[in-house]
Amino acid sequence: MGTLKAPIDSIFSEGINEVIVTTSKNAAPMGIIRKNGSLSMIVFLSSHTAQNIIRDGWIVAHISHDPILFVKTAFEDLPPESFIIEKIGDRAVHRLRGILNWIAFTALVENKTADKIFVKLEPVHVNVTSVLPAPVHRGLNNIIEATVHATRFILNNDPVLAGLIRHHGELVMRCGGEQDKKAIKLLFSYINQELPGTFG
C-alpha cells in the first residue's frame, strides 16, 4: 500500500466496512473486507458494479453517514449529475458529488464463481478531511442491516428476512433521527414496489 498505508489502516477496520462504491456512472452500497492487512470485496456477478469492475478495473469507496443515500443507491440509479469525473494518474474515475471522504482503488478480479467475483483492492488515491470522531449510530447501523436484508428479500420473498427488516425498522424508529426515519420509510416503499403490500 506504500505511502497510503497509514490513512488506509486508520479508515478501514478488520471485518466488513460498509461504504458507497462507485464504478462507471454507477453507485451501490458495498462491504469492503479488511483481513490480514488486505482489502477486498465480494460482488454478485449480476450487478452493474461487478460488470464495471471486470471491464474497467477500478472503484471509488465513499465514506458516508447518509442513511437515505445507502437506501437509494441499493435500489435505484442516481442521476448523471450525481457524479464527478476525477483524473487519478492516467485513469478517469467517477466519484459522488458532495461526499468529501473517498478512496480510489484499483480492483483486480482474483477469483470468479457462477454468481460472484472476488476482488482484491489496492488504494491509489485517498481524499479525506479532518473531521470530529463519529460515535456508532444505531439508527444508521439498522438502516444498513435492513437495506442488506431488503436487497435479498425482493429476490426470494423469504418471510424470515421480512421479519428481520421489520425488527430493524422498529429500532430505526426508536433510535434514529429524522433522516433515518425517512430512509426506513423509503426502503419500505421500494420493497412495496417489488412486492406490493409487504410493509404497511
Side-chain angles (χ1 to χ4, degrees), residues 69-90:
L69 185 64
F70 273 96
V71 173
K72 272 193 169 181
T73 54
F75 289 94
E76 67 177 68
D77 294 331
L78 296 180
E81 60 269 21
S82 301
F83 299 92
I84 296 172
I85 297 175
E86 190 84 35
K87 196 73 181 293
I88 307 293
D90 59 356

Side-chain angles (χ1 to χ4, degrees), residues 23-153:
T23 52
S24 180
K25 300 175 186 173
N26 184 65
M30 291 274 158
I32 289 184
I33 304 161
R34 181 174 173 186
K35 186 175 181 181
N36 300 325
S38 295
L39 299 176
S40 63
M41 294 194 317
I42 301 171
V43 188
F44 284 102
L45 260 174
S46 57
S47 68
H48 294 307
T49 302
Q51 297 308 311
N52 289 344
I53 287 172
I54 291 167
R55 185 190 65 210
D56 300 328
W58 61 264
I59 68 156
V60 179
H62 300 76
I63 313 299
S64 174
H65 294 88
D66 181 346
I68 292 175
L69 185 64
F70 273 96
V71 173
K72 272 193 169 181
T73 54
F75 289 94
E76 67 177 68
D77 294 331
L78 296 180
E81 60 269 21
S82 301
F83 299 92
I84 296 172
I85 297 175
E86 190 84 35
K87 196 73 181 293
I88 307 293
D90 59 356
R91 175 176 279 161
V93 302
H94 295 184
R95 66 175 179 87
L96 288 177
R97 189 180 301 279
I99 297 186
L100 300 177
N101 296 297
W102 52 274
I103 304 101
F105 293 90
T106 58
L108 174 67
V109 178
E110 288 201 312
N111 194 13
K112 189 176 181 181
T113 66
D115 60 346
K116 296 174 187 171
I117 57 172
F118 297 80
V119 183
K120 182 179 180 181
L121 302 175
E122 288 289 345
V124 292
H125 181 83
V126 176
N127 190 86
V128 293
T129 58
S130 297
V131 294
L132 293 173
V136 172
H137 192 274
R138 292 186 68 196
L140 177 60
N141 285 357
N142 280 283
I143 287 290
I144 290 170
E145 292 302 318
T147 303
V148 171
H149 292 318
T151 58
R152 294 168 184 165
F153 175 66

Side-chain angles (χ1 to χ4, degrees), residues 161-182:
L161 291 175
L164 289 170
I165 294 164
R166 286 191 183 91
H167 168 73
H168 289 296
E170 289 167 4
L171 288 172
V172 168
M173 297 307 289
R174 193 161 71 239
C175 305
E178 286 309 307
Q179 287 295 95
D180 303 304
K181 292 172 185 176
K182 286 179 185 176

